[in-house]
Amino acid sequence: MINGYLDLRSDTVTLPKAEMMDAIANASLGDDIMGEDATVNELQRKAADLLGMEDALLVTSGTMANQIAIMNFAQRGQEVIVGNESHILNLEGAALAAVAQVQARPMTVKNGYFDPEIVESLISSGDIQRAKTALISIENTYNLNAGQIVSIENTKEIKELAVQHGLPVYLDGARIFNAAVALEAAPKDLCKHVDAVQFCLTKGLGCPLGSILAGSKEFIQHAKMNRQRLGGGMRQAGIIAAPGIYALDHMIDRLKEDNQKAYQLAKKLSAVEGIHINLDNVQTNIIAVNITKEDIDADKFIELLKEKQIKVKKIGKRKIRMIVHYLITDENIEYLFENMKGIMSGSRTVQHQLFD
Ligand SMILES: *Cc1c(COP(=O)(O)O)cnc(C)c1O
C-alpha cells in the first residue's frame, strides 16, 4: 500500500525503502561538480561496469539523460530516428524541438521490433532540402504502455545498419533491467550494440530520483557539459547516489518477480468477460487492459477501482495500464483480480470490438 492505495499507475510511485534512507544517512558526500562526491563516483563506476560502458554519469531524470544524449549526438536542425511510441518523442515536453533543437523522424515499432528496413528507409545523408540523420534512438523495454522487449539480435541488426551509415545508436533503457531479467541476459549484453544508454533508478529499482547515462569516456565528458547547461550539475549528489548503489545491489534480480506477477495477473484477467489483454504483449512488468463492456469505460473502471483502494492509469477511452513493482505482493495480485472480475461481472458486454 502506498498512501492507502494499491497503486499500479506506474513503478515510479514506490517510496524509498528503509535501507535506502539508511544509505542516504550514512553516505559520504562531496561537491560532485568538482568530482568529489565519493558516493556518486562509486555509483557511476558500478553502473558503467554493469552496462559494459567506459563511464557513466548520474543525472536527475531519464528525461534529462535522454536529452543530454541527443544534444551529445546531434546538431541543431538534424534528425533523430525514434519509435513513434517512445518516451523521447511523446513525454518529454517536446524537448527534442524545444531544447535539443532537432527534428524527430518517427518510425512504427511493432511488438518491440525495430525493423532495419524501416530504419534504413528513414536515414537521410542530408541535402539542401532534407535534414541529415544524426542518430538512431531505440528504447528497451519499448513503449511505456506495453513494456516490450527489444531483442539483443535486433539491437545488433540496428547497430550494423548504423555503422554502415556512420551513425551512432542510443538506447533509452529506462526499464532495461526488466528486459535483462526476462531474457536471462546480463545487462551489458543488451547494451553491447549501442553507443550510449540510460536507465532510470526510479522505475522498478525503487529509488526516489535519478537516472544513469553511460557511454564512452569522451561521451560522458561531453555529457557533463550538456548536463551543466541544463542546470543538472549537482553538489552533494551522494544523497541520490546512495539509494542507487543499494538498488543496483539488491533490486535488479528481483525484477523477475514483478515480471512474473504481471504475467500471472494478466493471464487470470484475460479470462474475465469484459477484459481483453494481448498476452503476447505482457513481456515484462506492464499490463495494458482493454475494456470490452458497453457500460464501463476507463474513467468508470478507475472510479470503481478507487472505491476498492486500487489505482490504475488511463491510457485510452477504454484502456488502462497497470505496472507491477516491488510493493505488489501475491495477495495483492489476487485482490486485484477478484475486484476487477467483480466489477466486470455486473455490466454489459460491448457488441463490437472497440480495442485493437
Ligand atoms: C520513465 C521513462 C523515461 C523518463 O524518465 P523520467 O525520470 O521520468 O524523466 C524515459 N524513457 C522511458 C522509456 C521511460 O519509461
Side-chain angles (χ1 to χ4, degrees):
M1 289 285 215
I2 302 164
N3 300 325
Y5 284 90
L6 208 51
D7 196 340
L8 289 98
R9 289 171 300 169
S10 179
D11 44 7
T12 58
V13 297
T14 55
L15 303 176
K17 298 176 79 160
E19 291 90 333
M20 290 182 175
M21 299 308 282
D22 287 347
I24 293 170
N26 296 314
S28 78
L29 305 173
D31 189 321
D32 180 50
I33 290 185
M34 299 182 189
E36 292 174 3
D37 190 296
T39 311
V40 171
N41 292 339
E42 184 186 339
L43 172 65
Q44 290 175 166
R45 189 66 260 146
K46 222 176 164 65
D49 291 345
L50 185 64
L51 301 173
M53 294 285 170
E54 274 178 15
D55 207 353
L57 186 66
L58 175 66
V59 298
T60 55
S61 68
T63 299
M64 184 182 277
N66 285 341
Q67 295 306 321
I68 290 172
I70 303 281
M71 290 162 75
N72 264 15
F73 283 127
Q75 303 292 317
R76 184 172 76 96
Q78 292 188 323
E79 284 192 358
V80 176
I81 297 173
V82 292
N84 62 357
E85 314 256 33
S86 66
H87 194 283
I88 284 192
L89 179 62
N90 296 291
L91 293 174
E92 302 191 358
L96 284 182
V99 180
Q101 302 186 10
V102 298
Q103 174 155 280
R105 179 62 61 179
M107 66 176 282
T108 304
V109 181
K110 283 208 182 109
N111 301 320
Y113 183 66
F114 284 80
D115 188 333
E117 277 190 30
I118 300 179
V119 175
E120 188 157 37
S121 74
L122 299 176
I123 293 174
S124 157
S125 52
D127 58 34
I128 287 175
Q129 290 179 302
R130 181 79 207 273
K132 184 179 171 352
T133 305
L135 174 68
I136 302 167
S137 178
I138 62 175
E139 188 179 284
N140 196 5
T141 60
Y142 181 68
N143 189 339
L144 74 168
N145 290 331
Q148 294 158 340
I149 296 168
V150 179
S151 70
I152 296 171
E153 299 79 66
N154 187 203
T155 311
K156 186 162 179 254
E157 281 180 302
I158 296 299
K159 176 64 179 173
E160 282 166 3
L161 177 68
V163 167
Q164 280 170 30
H165 292 269
L167 296 172
V169 179
Y170 173 64
L171 169 59
D172 177 357
R175 294 190 178 85
I176 191 73
F177 301 118
N178 286 89
V181 299
L183 293 171
E184 296 186 348
K188 62 174 69 148
D189 291 339
L190 278 72
C191 304
K192 199 151 68 188
H193 308 291
V194 302
D195 297 279
V197 55
Q198 82 90 11
F199 70 83
C200 293
L201 289 163
T202 53
K203 303 269 160 93
L205 300 186
C207 293
L209 73 158
S211 270
I212 293 285
L213 180 62
S216 69
K217 275 203 156 53
E218 192 189 357
F219 173 88
I220 292 301
Q221 200 51 40
H222 190 186
K224 279 182 190 165
M225 195 263 280
N226 279 323
R227 181 183 68 169
Q228 185 69 13
R229 278 193 176 155
L230 296 174
M234 297 179 283
R235 302 299 182 176
Q236 286 71 35
I239 60 166
I240 303 174
I245 292 170
Y246 175 87
L248 295 190
D249 287 339
H250 298 101
M251 300 294 283
I252 294 178
D253 289 344
R254 61 150 310 287
L255 289 172
K256 54 172 144 342
E257 292 171 35
D258 297 347
N259 291 350
Q260 280 159 5
K261 283 183 190 130
Y263 192 78
Q264 221 179 334
L265 177 59
K267 195 163 175 215
K268 282 159 82 89
L269 282 174
S270 66
V272 171
E273 201 194 319
I275 284 179
H276 172 78
I277 295 171
N278 181 352
L279 284 179
D280 291 341
N281 262 343
V282 185
Q283 298 172 3
T284 52
N285 63 333
I286 304 179
I287 313 168
V289 178
N290 298 281
I291 302 160
T292 62
K293 291 278 183 177
E294 202 172 309
D295 53 349
I296 298 187
D297 60 9
D299 289 329
K300 182 76 185 164
F301 193 50
I302 286 169
E303 185 190 312
L304 294 170
L305 286 172
K306 259 203 183 142
E307 290 170 12
K308 307 288 181 189
Q309 283 159 303
I310 297 166
K311 284 186 185 176
V312 301
K313 189 178 175 200
K314 178 180 177 176
I315 57 169
K317 184 160 168 49
R318 292 182 165 274
K319 202 162 182 173
I320 61 115
R321 175 189 87 174
M322 294 186 281
I323 304 192
V324 175
H325 49 72
Y326 81 91
L327 291 171
I328 303 298
T329 64
D330 287 326
E331 295 82 69
N332 293 158
I333 295 290
E334 199 53 39
Y335 178 86
L336 287 158
F337 169 67
E338 289 301 336
N339 280 288
M340 291 185 176
K341 192 171 85 171
I343 289 169
M344 287 304 167
S345 67
S347 48
R348 293 189 309 279
T349 305
V350 178
Q351 297 307 321
H352 47 277
Q353 301 227 322
L354 290 166
F355 51 88
D356 50 41

